[in-house]
């Protein structure tokens, strides 16, 4: 299919563009600031870029327009798409429908440590020969890239709680439908879009609601804000593993604590220099 | 996935760019780049470095530029999150709130500069060989890492 991405030079949309290209789709895109390094990277992967949001771009007649989160109402191209009733979708939704669908998605959510944890997870699977796909909001040094399609059903994704698009104010991760969900922690953040912690919690609740009964949620037992009814509820539907707090008795995975100390001993350079 | 296989993989995990990434060492001063911008992340980042380097000095250089930090809703948590640092240099330009007031509880340990060049000068004035300069921002921070490394190197000659 042909997709035209509005806001293609953003970190997330740029990666979506590259995954779409790698999956064999025709990808074009536009942005207000088409400049290196993102523009060079996108063009090198075979993505045609257009500077600006001229409404004439509807003439490209893509199968669908993919709207980046940086694009708001009033954007001339977006307004033209809406006026003409042309098909459009958010980046996370497109990704879910065309890349993640049918995969074993392992999603790492939480206020802190998502990038590092998802990088570790992708690396553990890679090292075991499972060649996972991944989409991470940073560059894991073991891979040198922030995303790839992978060669197996496994796909590790950094599950970002920031909102999706102008048309969808739910968190991006609500679209990802994980089979394995990791919840690192939960704290108030993103004061620009969330009123309070409860507002973020609702989004996390949405995320675990979609877990299949054969799925697994791994949560952090040391985090009081994750000691919540909706997680217990998810645990009655699906498998749940609550990692013990240090010295705590709430261990459903008793080996985890000793595992951590083993890794700590093995890592000569825990902060990576 | 057997546990020992996972552990073995983790022992060869090479970290993530911009997560406590060592950007260089010049004149005995190590410069780190970290993405931390939420007070909790800042606190764990400083604590992590403290655990690694023991009693050596940590000079924290901070740009509170995330959307949330710019709103100022978490500014009062900053002093506590930075308490394990020996000195704090905060870039205060375009904040919309007064970083001097927010960091006042830290006393002389913290200073605020609205000019990046001046901020670099002040770090260089204080830094000496053996120090660890921890730069924290979720943005480019005007290339402050390289500016600092260059200035430390120049100081050594």
């Amino acid at each position: 299919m042909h997709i035209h991405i509005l806001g293609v030079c953003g970190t997330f949309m740029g990666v979506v563009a590259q995954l779409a290209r790698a999956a064999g789709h025709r990808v074009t895109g536009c942005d207000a600031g088409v400049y290196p390094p993102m523009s060079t990277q996108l063009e090198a992967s075979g993505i045609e870029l257009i500077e600006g949001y001229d409404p004439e771009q509807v003439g490209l007649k893509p199968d669908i327009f993919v709207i980046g989160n940086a694009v708001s109402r009033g954007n001339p191209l977006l307004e033209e798409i809406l006026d003409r009733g042309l098909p459009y979708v958010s980046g996370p939704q497109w990704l879910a429908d065309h890349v993640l669908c049918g995969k074993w998605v392992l999603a790492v959510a939480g206020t802190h440590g998502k990038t590092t944890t998802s990088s570790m997870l992708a690396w553990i699977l890679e090292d075991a020969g499972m060649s996972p796909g991944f989409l991470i909001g940073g560059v894991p040094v073991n891979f040198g890239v922030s995303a790839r399609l992978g060669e197996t059903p496994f796909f590790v994704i950094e599950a970002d709680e920031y909102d999706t698009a102008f048309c969808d104010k739910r968190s991006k991760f609500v679209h990802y439908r994980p089979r394995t969900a990791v919840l690192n922690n939960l704290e108030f953040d993103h004061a620009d879009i969330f009123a309070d912690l409860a507002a973020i919690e609702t989004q996390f609740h949405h995320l675990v609601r979609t877990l299949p009964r054969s799925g697994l949620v791994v949560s952090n037992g040391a985090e009081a804000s994750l000691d919540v009814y909706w997680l217990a509820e998810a645990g009655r539907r699906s498998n749940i593993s609550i990692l013990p707090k240090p010295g705590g008795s709430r261990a459903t995975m008793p080996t985890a604590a000793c595992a951590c100390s083993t890794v700590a001993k093995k890592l000569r350079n825990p902060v990576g220099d | 996935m057997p546990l020992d296989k996972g552990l073995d993989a983790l022992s060869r995990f090479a970290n993530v760019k911009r997560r406590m990434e060592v950007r260089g060492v010049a004149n005995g001063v190590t410069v780190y780049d970290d993405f931390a911008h939420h007070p909790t992340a800042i606190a764990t980042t400083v604590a992590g470095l403290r655990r690694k380097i023991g009693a050596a000095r940590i000079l924290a250089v901070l740009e509170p530029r995330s959307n949330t930090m710019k709103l100022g809703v978490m500014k009062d948590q900053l002093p506590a999150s930075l308490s394990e640092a020996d000195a704090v240099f905060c870039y205060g330009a375009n904040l919309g709130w007064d970083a001097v007031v927010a960091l006042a509880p830290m006393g002389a340990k913290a200073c605020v500069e609205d000019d990046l060049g001046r901020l670099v000068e002040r770090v260089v004035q204080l830094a000496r060989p053996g120090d660890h300069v921890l730069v924290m921002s979720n943005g480019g921070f005007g290339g402050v890492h390289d500016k600092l490394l260059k200035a430390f190197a120049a100081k050594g000659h």
Side-chain angles (χ1 to χ4, degrees):
Chain A
M1 74 192 296
H2 172 202
I3 63 173
H4 187 58
I5 302 182
L6 281 71
V8 73
C9 288
T11 320
F12 178 79
M13 295 309 289
V15 167
V16 170
Q18 290 173 71
L19 286 177
R21 189 71 200 91
H25 300 292
R26 181 180 169 215
V27 184
T28 55
C30 62
D31 206 308
V34 176
Y35 43 79
M38 187 56 107
S39 61
T40 331
Q41 213 180 319
L42 291 176
E43 280 168 342
S45 7
I47 296 159
E48 300 164 48
L49 299 179
I50 301 169
E51 171 69 41
Y53 293 98
D54 192 328
E56 295 284 309
Q57 288 175 38
V58 295
L60 288 168
K61 295 194 163 57
D63 295 298
I64 198 160
F65 291 91
V66 183
I67 318 288
N69 199 15
V71 175
S72 308
R73 286 304 303 265
N75 176 294
L77 178 52
L78 173 61
E79 293 300 328
E80 190 70 17
I81 291 165
L82 294 180
D83 270 344
R84 290 178 183 238
L86 298 174
Y88 67 87
V89 70
S90 71
Q93 175 83 58
W94 190 88
L95 190 75
D97 292 347
H98 299 277
V99 175
L100 302 181
C101 189
K103 298 222 171 197
W104 182 319
V105 174
L106 303 100
V108 180
T111 311
H112 308 291
K114 293 184 285 292
T115 305
T116 303
T117 310
S118 44
S119 298
M120 287 172 154
L121 189 50
W123 171 242
I124 290 171
L125 298 181
E126 172 76 2
D127 196 56
M130 293 159 98
S131 305
F134 57 83
L135 194 170
I136 295 168
V139 181
V141 175
N142 290 94
F143 295 102
V145 291
S146 65
R148 73 173 191 198
L149 276 182
E151 291 149 27
T152 61
F154 302 106
F155 199 101
V156 176
I157 191 160
E158 173 171 339
D160 182 19
E161 69 276 20
Y162 210 79
D163 61 11
T164 297
F166 85 97
C167 54
D168 184 353
K169 290 301 159 193
R170 294 173 302 161
S171 293
K172 283 192 192 70
F173 63 40
V174 169
H175 298 277
Y176 298 160
R177 312 248 171 115
R179 190 161 285 276
T180 306
V182 179
L183 308 185
N184 274 350
N185 39 52
L186 176 58
E187 196 184 355
F188 185 54
D189 194 8
H190 309 304
D192 52 332
I193 58 165
F194 291 116
D196 48 29
L197 180 63
I200 306 181
E201 209 185 310
T202 303
Q203 301 299 316
F204 278 70
H205 185 176
H206 289 333
L207 175 72
V208 299
R209 262 172 187 277
T210 60
L211 219 72
R213 61 187 176 185
S214 57
L216 168 69
V217 53
V218 180
S219 182
N220 174 4
E223 185 79 349
S225 56
L226 286 173
D227 187 7
V228 283
Y229 78 91
W230 50 264
L231 200 54
E233 215 172 71
R236 283 192 291 275
R237 286 188 304 260
S238 311
N239 304 297
I240 187 162
S241 188
I242 296 178
L243 300 185
K245 43 180 146 190
S249 58
R250 214 180 140 193
T252 55
M253 229 180 95
T255 44
C258 90
C260 291
S261 69
T262 312
V263 173
K265 274 179 217 150
K266 279 189 157 189
L267 278 171
R268 270 161 301 184
N269 258 324
V271 290
D273 51 345
Chain B
M1 166 78 61
L3 191 62
D4 58 338
K5 272 205 149 197
L7 293 177
D8 184 53
L10 276 183
S11 72
R12 283 174 284 110
F13 177 67
N15 203 9
V16 184
K17 284 271 177 197
R18 303 215 57 199
R19 302 308 190 278
M20 200 69 97
E21 180 185 1
V22 175
R23 288 291 298 269
V25 183
N27 193 25
V29 183
T30 311
V31 175
Y32 303 82
D33 182 20
D34 197 278
F35 200 68
H37 49 281
H38 186 289
T40 304
I42 292 171
T44 46
T45 302
V46 176
L49 183 57
R50 174 58 69 212
R51 273 227 301 256
K52 186 192 174 210
I53 64 168
R57 293 201 306 174
I58 297 175
L59 279 48
V61 182
L62 180 74
E63 181 190 35
R65 71 170 282 284
S66 69
N67 287 337
T68 301
M69 286 312 295
K70 273 187 180 166
L71 287 171
V73 288
M74 292 180 181
K75 64 182 190 316
D76 297 336
Q77 297 169 45
L78 274 181
S81 73
L82 290 157
S83 62
E84 282 201 65
D86 296 279
V88 173
F89 302 83
C90 178
Y91 184 48
N94 314 315
L95 272 188
W97 45 274
D98 193 345
V100 177
V101 175
L103 294 177
M106 304 199 78
K109 242 172 80 168
C111 77
V112 179
E113 283 291 346
D114 293 344
D115 180 81
L116 197 60
R118 183 75 197 117
L119 186 82
V120 169
E121 276 172 33
R122 292 193 69 163
V123 180
V124 173
Q125 266 168 21
L126 187 73
R128 55 179 193 237
D131 283 351
H132 297 259
V133 174
L134 175 56
V135 180
M136 290 175 283
S137 169
N138 70 335
F141 207 161
V144 76
H145 321 79
D146 289 332
K147 286 178 178 152
L148 284 165
L149 283 166
K150 224 180 205 173
F152 294 142
K155 202 181 170 186
H157 292 293

